[in-house]
Amino acid sequence: MVFTIGETANKTGISEYTLRFYEKKGLMPFVKRTSSGRRYFSEDDIDFLGLITCLKNTGMPLAEIKDFVDMTMQGDETLEKRLTIFRTQRAAVKQQIAAAQRRLEKLDFKVRYFEAACEAGTEAAVEGDCDVPNSPITINDALRVK
Amino acid sequence: MVFTIGETANKTGISEYTLRFYEKKGLMPFVKRTSSGRRYFSEDDIDFLGLITCLKNTGMPLAEIKDFVDMTMQGDETLEKRLTIFRTQRAAVKQQIAAAQRRLEKLDFKVRYFEAACEAGTEAAVEGDCDVPNSPITINDALRVK
DNA sequence: GTAAAACTTAGACCATAGTCTAAGTCAACA
DNA sequence: TGTTGACTTAGACTATGGTCTAAGTTTTAC
């Protein structure tokens, strides 16, 4: 089963523009052409595109993804290098998750803070320290507006 | 305690360029000036900058952060809107964490896959399915190169 | 066999978020 | 009191990652 660029765009959610752009950037040297020059994508191509997307979503720049793709095309002689890349990206994602969890805590504090502020009718009545994890939030009734 | 732009850049890790850029974009209407026109940042300003950074890191565009900052300057009449923003961003970060965890699984598979490939000396000897969580990876000894 | 839809290219254009330069002003200190 | 360093501005420039247009070709479907 092979797919046109339009079908591939549909399947992957990546626009045709972007697919062509990726090819121009050297991210998809594996995509074949019909005799008249039209691209067609195999299932494997689309799977690999999924890996490219995964790497992109880890924050890897397209230029670096291209290097990885080039290594892949070179075959077994680049196995160690590719392993290193995946180890590096795995570590990066672990850090991203940890950072996102800290962000989540901060946002959660803010939600609780503004819930209290909405209830009190004013921020002035709300007490709590954003920098203390799970800090209790209290309303100073003397300062309530509603 | 107040800080110059240089000190603030040092404290926050945000360059002076970027701090000025943020001010120009309307993200820091609260920053005051000396009589000669130099900016100075209070501790509260720097705390708020931390919140701006937090929102930015959730993926919120600067233009939207500006809207939030404007609401903050408007005071208590925007409490509900700000609560909504934080609830939205909290939900967004939860999704980002979930997506990152799926990415981590994929990368972890790849690490294990390439560890096997390196051991076997060739990808051809490695068997395993990336789409199955914690899929076992095996080496087909008949195809080993080392 | 022809019209519409889907594709091709090169290259222009865009948004976002900085980053830097040039020319000038101000502050700190020896 | 002068010089060095830190600051000011406007505006040019950069990088990244697309996104679109125009002109032309090929496929598909009636």
Side-chain angles (χ1 to χ4, degrees), chain A residues 76 87 90 108 115 122, chain B residues 76 87 90 108 115 122:
Chain A
D76 287 340
R87 282 184 170 148
R90 182 177 62 173
D108 197 59
E115 278 169 354
T122 177
Chain B
D76 287 340
R87 281 183 171 147
R90 184 179 60 175
D108 197 59
E115 278 169 354
T122 176

Side-chain angles (χ1 to χ4, degrees), chain B residues 44-59:
Chain B
D44 280 356
D45 293 347
I46 288 174
D47 286 349
F48 198 86
L49 209 39
L51 179 56
I52 288 173
T53 301
C54 174
L55 289 173
K56 190 177 80 72
N57 287 335
T58 68

Side-chain angles (χ1 to χ4, degrees), chain A residues 46-74:
Chain A
I46 288 173
D47 286 349
F48 198 86
L49 208 39
L51 180 56
I52 287 173
T53 300
C54 174
L55 288 173
K56 190 178 78 71
N57 287 336
T58 68
M60 186 182 276
L62 300 187
E64 259 174 67
I65 297 176
K66 181 203 182 308
D67 292 343
F68 164 74
V69 170
D70 289 344
M71 285 175 209
T72 303
M73 302 318 273
Q74 275 175 62

Side-chain angles (χ1 to χ4, degrees), chain A residues 1-145:
Chain A
M1 191 84 184
V2 295
F3 305 93
T4 66
I5 193 169
E7 289 162 342
T8 305
N10 263 297
K11 266 179 93 97
T12 61
I14 303 171
S15 76
E16 295 186 29
Y17 297 142
T18 302
L19 288 170
R20 293 192 192 99
F21 170 72
Y22 282 180
E23 195 198 48
K24 194 156 36 171
K25 286 269 150 176
L27 267 58
M28 307 190 311
F30 44 77
V31 172
K32 304 244 178 18
R33 302 291 186 119
T34 66
S35 58
S36 70
R38 299 198 160 192
R39 294 170 185 84
Y40 61 91
F41 294 71
S42 71
E43 313 250 17
D44 280 356
D45 292 347
I46 288 173
D47 286 349
F48 198 86
L49 208 39
L51 180 56
I52 287 173
T53 300
C54 174
L55 288 173
K56 190 178 78 71
N57 287 336
T58 68
M60 186 182 276
L62 300 187
E64 259 174 67
I65 297 176
K66 181 203 182 308
D67 292 343
F68 164 74
V69 170
D70 289 344
M71 285 175 209
T72 303
M73 302 318 273
Q74 275 175 62
D76 287 340
E77 67 187 278
T78 63
L79 285 176
E80 305 269 3
K81 279 185 187 174
R82 283 183 280 161
L83 172 56
T84 300
I85 286 172
F86 282 112
R87 282 184 170 148
T88 303
Q89 290 317 111
R90 182 177 62 173
V93 170
K94 281 180 186 172
Q95 293 220 322
Q96 286 163 15
I97 289 172
Q101 264 151 359
R102 285 192 298 275
R103 249 177 330 262
L104 183 58
E105 260 183 45
K106 183 154 186 158
L107 293 171
D108 197 59
F109 172 86
K110 287 292 179 182
V111 167
R112 290 183 289 111
Y113 176 93
F114 281 101
E115 278 169 354
C118 284
E119 201 207 309
T122 177
E123 270 192 79
V126 182
E127 282 153 16
D129 186 350
C130 180
D131 294 325
V132 179
N134 279 306
S135 159
I137 289 173
T138 56
I139 294 176
N140 181 335
D141 285 325
L143 296 175
R144 268 178 183 277
V145 169

